[in-house]
Structures are given as structure tokens and as C-alpha cells.
Amino acid sequence: MKVTWGAYGGQAAVIRLGLPPKVLDTDALSETEAVELDRLVAAVAPAAGEERPGRARDAMSYTITVEDGGRSTTLTRSDATMSPAFAALLGWLEEHFARQ
Amino acid sequence: MTCHFNCIIPPHLLEKLLRSDDSEVRQAALDTLMTTSRLRGERGVRASFVGSAAAPGGGRRTVFDCKHSTSLPSAVFARSEDGPESVDVSANRAFDGLGATRDFYKAVFNRDSIDGRGMRLTAFVHYDKRYNNAFWDGHQMVFGDGDGKMFSDFTGSVDVIGHELAHGVTENTAGLEYHNQSGALNESMSDVFGSLVKQWSLKQSADEADWLIGPEIFTPGIDADALRSMKAPGHAYDNDLFGKDPQPDNMENYIKLPDNEMGDFGGVHFNSGIPNKAFYLTAVRVGGFAWEAPGLIWYESLKASHAETQFQEFANTTYRKAAELFGDDSAEQLAVLAAWQDVGIQISGILAGVARARSLAADRSGGTGGENGLATVSQQIGALAAQVTGLAKDVTALKSK
């Protein structure tokens, strides 16, 4: 499974637009980490799709794409619309990336 | 006073206690509501009651601490209008920034808080971990601490705080749609009034101001002046990490991007550079304090705009408002005319050649109203008086021969 995620918009939207998305391959994870990531992805997968930030201004948007077994699912949420499950997945990915 | 999940004290009584003259009673009632609302996770109810702890309206401030969570309902109270300073620097900075912005609108435009009706101001600090942003969620402000590598605490720039709250003002006036040109105008309004809050706080003239948005939010190791420069869009930064600031300062370089998240909703943070530059040029041509004539023209134009207003319509509106406020062909109106022309927007109904001649004439005469314009006129009168005196002496000398 490959997970790609990126952040867009916000006060630093112009700077952020030039930064590449981050990529994580579960092959590079320990078994424990891979199981945890699977669990987090499964928790948000039913809510796949896009939600616009509504009246929020300068809120950041996040896109997480999960590629697994030839299937690809993309989720887009903003600071103003993300669910706890989405926040947990994004937080886990960012924590993992920060430890690299 | 104790209260459990199903609060035994009726809400109307709590509201009455919140208006008590006795600060201890008010605080106890507030604590009760805080506990209840935290259990329920009803941040709207909580913020509303906190604000009413002393008196309704008046833009009363409350700051909450997210404790590095993304959940606003679980944030804890940090500071309110009647309470002591917080031990948290970020909470105090957010509190002060809210106050500076509220006071600016009241003193300069006689506007009662963000909505003009004394809306309470609520802010959340320490949002998420390493969160590189600050945003307006439609009702309240949220600040991140930054990742400590590129960005530091977003409460550090009062212009950023003013920027976010100006989104609330725009929402309550023109309601500019947040995409393409109306979205870029929305962003520009926030930069204009955010910068004016800072200039007003520091009592800086247009010449003295830095015209930067967010100069304090980068870590010392980052080679960047700010997020954006209103004076020189496209020149806020140029480094290996961020690349070069791509903001345009002229319609010739307008950037077309997709109207979605990845395209910054049509480049709202990019193309705001064009109206930003127009405001800066107006301000320096008029001279003096930018929140006076230029700020008033922009504020009245914002109020006269609507959800779908584009650059051209807004430029026309500023030209019309300048005439209504300061007169036809006033220095202020000519400054507006020249500023839009310099960013590639001709005011409708005025031929480019005529506009150029009139703006040149304005520039020759000092191009300004206010103190600088009066100084120029005064200098010209002085020079003419000196010439008359000299001529009179010559005539006297000729007569005596």
C-alpha cells in the first residue's frame, strides 16, 4: 500500500504550492506500524471524497491518496471539515514523516 | 457552585449570574458553564456565554488553548476580558492582537467589532502539532505554533491576526466569494486591513510602514522577509527552500490556477498582489497615515461591493468612493486613478490617455492630499511670494532710476 499526502492553502498557500507531496510505502514500515496505518486508513475510507472548507478562510486543505492492489482512493478535507478519523490518520502520517 | 452534566441551574439563571456585579459570582457562573459546555463539546455555546460574563457585545475577547489538538471543542480556557493575564505568551499575544484589531475598527471606522454589532472575538492557540498556519473558521480564529523549522508561532504577527479578523469583516460586508478574482480581493482586503491594524498600532505613516504580511512568523534561519509584500509583490522571499515569491503586481502577470484546493481556489493568495499594490500606491501617493483617506476609501468600497465583485468593479468603486468622500478630481481620487492604472487596471469610462495625463498632473503637484499635499502647496506659495517680492524690488529699483 502506498499513501501520498499533501497540504494546500492557508496563509502560506503560495509557498506550500511549490512543495512536493509526501509519500509513504507500507513496505518500508515495521509490521506494527503497517497494521496501525491500515487501521487508520480503514477508519476514514468510508468517508472518501471531497469537502470544501465552506466559510473558513485561510484554512488548509489536505489530500490523502491511498493506492492498494490497483485501487486508488483520494480523500480531501480541510481544517474546518476534517473528521477525528481523518485528523488521526493525517497526524499519524505527519508524525511518521517528522521522525524520518 | 457545582454543576454536573445535566446542569441543575437553569440557563436563564446562569445568564443572570453572569451579569452580576460581583466578580466572584460571575466567575463561578462562568466556571459552571465552562465545565458544562466542555462536557458537551459545545464550543459555540461556551464562547457565547464567556463573552457575556461582564456585558454583551463590544467585541469581548476569549482565548482558548487547544493543547496541540485539532479539536476545538476540547480546548481549555486560557484568558478572557475580565480575567488576569495568562502565563501563556501565545494566549496573551492572541488576546492583544484581537484587542488591537477591535480597537482599530472602532477608532478608525467607528465599526463595532467584526460584524458591526459587537461580535465577541474568540481565538484558539496551540492548534495541532507543528501547525504552520492561522485561519478564520467562519466564526473564530485559530493559530498554530509553527513547526519550529520554517515557521514560528503565528500569533507573533499582529498583521496576521488583523488579516484573519478582516476575513470576518469581509464576510459581514461584501461577502466576497473565496475563489478567482473575488477571492483574491477577499485576500487583499485582509492584507490591507491587517497591515493597517499594524500601522495604526505603531502610528506609522505610509512611508514608514514595512507593508509586509507576516514578517515575524519565519524562524531566524529562513531567508525571507515575510509571507507577502504589499509594496513589492513578488519580492517577499527568494530562497532555495521556497523558491521565488510568485505574486504578481500587475494584471499583465495575472496567474490562472485551477479553482480547487490544489490551485489555491484560482490563486487567491497569488493574485491578491495586484490589488495589494494598488492600495500601497494609493497610500504613498496620498501620503500621511494610510488608514485615513486610503483606508476609508477601501473600507467604504468593501461595504459597497458584493459576493462576485471583480478587480475592475472594485477599482471603479474606489474611484467613485474617493470622489464621494473627497471630491471629484481631488488628490485622493487622482491617487486612486493612478494606482489602479499602474497595476494595469483602467477605471471604466476614463480613457487611458486622460487618466495618464491626470495622474501625471497629480504627481507634478506632489500627487498628494493631506499633509504632504498641503506642504507642497505651501512650498509653491512660498516660492511665488519670493518671486513677487523680488519683482517688487526690481520695479522699485527701476522707478528710482
Side-chain angles (χ1 to χ4, degrees), chain A residues 8-92:
Chain A
Y8 311 92
Q11 277 277 353
V14 174
I15 292 171
R16 207 163 274 122
L17 210 58
L19 301 177
K22 297 166 186 169
V23 182
L24 178 65
D25 199 316
T26 49
D27 289 347
L29 298 176
S30 70
E31 189 177 341
T32 309
E33 288 173 327
V35 168
E36 176 66 0
L37 182 56
D38 270 344
R39 186 187 68 77
L40 292 167
V41 167
V44 292
E50 182 179 334
E51 277 185 22
R52 298 201 120 192
R55 290 174 62 198
R57 301 291 177 254
D58 290 319
M60 284 167 59
S61 295
Y62 309 90
T63 295
I64 301 176
T65 300
V66 180
E67 296 169 83
D68 191 20
R71 290 181 58 193
S72 176
T73 305
T74 298
L75 309 100
T76 300
R77 295 290 184 276
S78 81
D79 288 316
T81 63
M82 72 168 73
S83 64
F86 189 95
L89 173 59
L90 185 64
W92 191 93

Side-chain angles (χ1 to χ4, degrees), chain B residues 1-5 7 9 14 17-18 23-39 46 49-51 53 64 76-80 83-84:
Chain B
M1 184 184 300
T2 57
C3 180
H4 301 289
F5 185 78
C7 192
I9 302 172
L14 273 174
L17 294 174
L18 285 165
S23 62
E24 287 187 13
V25 172
R26 285 203 310 271
Q27 190 59 50
L30 178 59
D31 290 343
T32 302
L33 277 161
M34 295 291 288
T35 304
T36 308
S37 60
R38 184 162 60 243
L39 288 168
R46 180 170 40 154
F49 279 122
V50 167
F64 295 95
V76 299
F77 172 80
R79 186 172 176 187
S80 72

Side-chain angles (χ1 to χ4, degrees), chain B residues 74-120:
Chain B
S74 61
V76 299
F77 172 80
R79 186 172 176 187
S80 72
E81 202 70 60
D82 297 323
E85 273 195 20
S86 170
V87 293
D88 184 338
V89 174
S90 299
N92 290 330
R93 273 202 302 251
F95 188 83
D96 292 343
L98 295 177
T101 306
R102 175 196 62 192
D103 295 347
F104 163 80
Y105 282 106
K106 184 65 181 171
V108 177
F109 303 129
N110 195 29
R111 183 179 184 84
D112 188 5
S113 191
I114 298 311
D115 63 350
R117 298 186 298 277
M119 177 180 170
R120 296 179 179 105

Side-chain angles (χ1 to χ4, degrees), chain B residues 1 35 72 80 107 201 253 255 260 266 280 306 322 337 370 379:
Chain B
M1 184 184 300
T35 304
L72 302 188
S80 72
S201 300
N253 301 317
I255 296 172
N260 56 31
Y280 162 78
H306 56 88
L337 176 69
Q379 285 171 0

Side-chain angles (χ1 to χ4, degrees), chain A residues 8-19 50-63 76 79-80 82 87 90-91 94-95 98, chain B residues 70 127 129-139 151 160 163-164 167 171 178 186-187 218 227-228 237 242 246 259-262 264-265 269-270:
Chain A
Y8 311 92
Q11 277 277 353
V14 174
I15 292 171
R16 207 163 274 122
L17 210 58
L19 301 177
E50 182 179 334
E51 277 185 22
R52 298 201 120 192
R55 290 174 62 198
R57 301 291 177 254
D58 290 319
M60 284 167 59
S61 295
Y62 309 90
T63 295
T76 300
D79 288 316
M82 72 168 73
L90 185 64
E94 288 294 345
E95 281 291 330
Chain B
T70 57
Y127 178 80
K129 295 171 187 164
R130 299 181 293 277
Y131 184 67
N132 290 330
N133 195 29
F135 67 94
W136 169 258
D137 83 343
H139 307 281
F151 295 97
V160 168
H163 173 105
E164 295 308 332
H167 280 307
E171 188 69 28
Y178 203 60
N186 193 320
E187 272 301 312
F218 290 108
L227 287 169
R228 293 178 290 281
Y237 52 84
F242 299 157
D259 182 11
N260 56 31
E261 283 84 357
M262 291 186 191
D264 190 31
F265 298 108
H269 291 90
F270 289 73

